[in-house]
Amino acid sequence: MSFHTVPQGRTVRVRVPATSANLGPGFDTFGLALSVADEVELTTCEPGVLDIEIEGVGADSVPRTEQHLIIRALDASLAELGFGREGLRLRAVNRIPHGRGMGSSGAAIAAGVLLAAQLVGDDVDVSDEQLLKLATELEGHPDNVAPCLFGGFTIAWTDAVRPYMVRREVHEDIYPLVLVPEQKLSTKVARGLQPSEVPHRDAVFNVARASLLVLALTDEPELLYAATEDLLHQPYRAAAMPASAELVEELRAEHLAAVISGAGPSVLVLAESEHARDRATEIAAEHDGWRAFPVEIDSRGATVSVASTKTESLSA
């Protein structure tokens, strides 16, 4: 395959939001974009340069090499689009907690895909469908990358051809709260606790709750408590995050719609009022090691700006 090289001297900035997947019953399907975001600036430059600066979350632990997840996603996406690159300068300000079930890896992948699309934008028109496909292939499933890319509440699925998604606005009377513990949990570990089969009655239970949750999120928030019940993944993962499971149980005992955020161990509360969100914050404060983040739904999703361009011709 013949590759083109993206021009030097081009700077692109992206902002990618945190996400919460599953939302209780919508396992590997539902996702919400949240108003905590990482910001990334990438500049193409002369061959042999790879300069990476990281501020904020993960600044002491993420690699400053081509193994950085944004660079890996960028390179894979460029290759898929028929392009290569030379040197890079990357600046990232990270705000999304890592290893807490808030979509940090999905955000990094979405950033890399969007950066690639912008770098080749003068020559290739990358559609939303292609963006989702590229990101899903890298992430493995679309439930985090879909809301990260497109914002709001998303329902994502795949077939033998590609991933798909639909997006809906969230009702204005929903007040999200993310409760983040000190400890991390690997998504791989969490997924390893899932059984290969579940009882038929549990599957039926979740189908009903997931259907109800679509209505609750978009039109009738008073249904959120019932709609966020789950039997497919949270009970099986509870042993790996006992503090999170205990907090969810305590919050739900007060009729608050609390669920494990993504693979955990963070807890997402979908409160029906600011008062209910405040009460959830008070309950979490009674437990050691938890930080409360009152957030909003990010209806924009990822945003992109091209800071500068240099109009060199592409080289084969």
Side-chain angles (χ1 to χ4, degrees):
M1 181 178 180
S2 177
F3 281 85
H4 299 287
T5 302
V6 296
Q8 295 179 27
R10 178 165 294 179
T11 298
V12 182
R13 299 188 181 108
V14 299
R15 173 194 170 278
V16 283
T19 54
S20 182
N22 301 328
L23 313 181
F27 183 59
D28 276 2
T29 301
F30 290 172
L32 278 179
L34 304 174
S35 60
V36 178
D38 291 348
E39 296 179 6
V40 183
E41 179 181 279
L42 182 95
T43 301
T44 57
C45 58
E46 62 274 16
V49 173
L50 183 60
D51 179 15
I52 299 176
E53 290 186 10
I54 309 292
E55 298 178 32
V57 177
D60 297 330
S61 59
V62 298
R64 264 75 166 175
T65 68
E66 292 183 344
Q67 291 305 303
H68 192 290
L69 187 52
I70 294 176
I71 302 297
R72 287 161 50 198
L74 169 74
D75 287 344
S77 300
L78 285 174
E80 186 70 21
L81 296 168
F83 286 77
R85 50 88 176 173
E86 295 177 334
L88 295 175
R89 290 188 174 89
L90 178 74
R91 308 285 183 268
V93 179
N94 294 342
R95 300 184 182 91
I96 304 172
H98 290 183
R100 302 303 203 288
M102 293 181 67
S104 60
S105 63
I109 287 169
V113 170
L114 287 165
L115 290 167
Q118 287 299 311
L119 290 176
V120 306
D122 290 344
D123 300 273
V124 179
D125 184 13
V126 182
S127 67
D128 287 349
E129 290 78 12
Q130 286 177 289
L131 290 174
L132 181 61
K133 185 173 186 292
L134 288 167
T136 299
E137 288 173 348
L138 292 164
E139 174 76 345
H141 40 88
D143 54 346
N144 282 112
V145 294
C148 183
L149 288 169
F150 305 112
F153 165 51
T154 59
I155 305 169
W157 70 100
T158 60
D159 64 14
V161 179
R162 64 178 179 88
Y164 303 81
M165 58 80 64
V166 292
R167 178 191 177 283
R168 291 293 181 267
E169 294 291 344
V170 176
H171 195 283
E172 61 182 5
D173 291 334
I174 296 176
Y175 300 85
L177 174 72
V178 182
L179 303 171
V180 181
E182 293 177 352
Q183 71 272 20
K184 298 181 180 181
L185 179 66
S186 162
T187 300
K188 183 177 181 180
V189 169
R191 285 189 169 273
L193 299 172
Q194 293 295 127
S196 58
E197 296 180 357
V198 297
H200 179 271
R201 65 180 181 275
D202 292 353
V204 172
F205 181 97
N206 266 59
V207 168
R209 298 313 190 275
S211 302
L212 187 63
L213 185 52
V214 175
L215 180 63
L217 284 169
T218 57
D219 291 303
E220 299 185 36
E222 64 272 15
L223 297 173
L224 280 168
Y225 178 77
T228 49
E229 293 181 294
D230 162 69
L231 293 178
L232 288 190
H233 67 101
Q234 293 180 140
Y236 300 105
R237 294 174 171 179
M241 47 183 129
S244 301
E246 179 185 349
L247 182 56
V248 167
E249 184 177 356
E250 187 172 339
L251 290 163
R252 294 190 69 85
E254 295 213 14
H255 212 76
L256 293 162
V259 299
I260 298 297
S261 180
S266 293
V267 171
L268 172 70
V269 181
L270 297 170
E272 299 172 40
S273 66
E274 291 186 83
H275 173 74
R277 184 165 67 179
D278 291 343
R279 178 57 187 145
T281 302
E282 292 172 359
I283 293 172
E286 296 170 1
H287 296 251
D288 292 335
W290 290 84
R291 292 179 296 157
F293 290 86
V295 294
E296 298 177 358
I297 304 298
D298 187 319
S299 61
R300 296 181 299 167
T303 57
V304 181
S305 63
V306 179
S308 63
T309 59
K310 186 174 180 179
T311 56
E312 292 121 328
S313 59
L314 297 173
S315 57

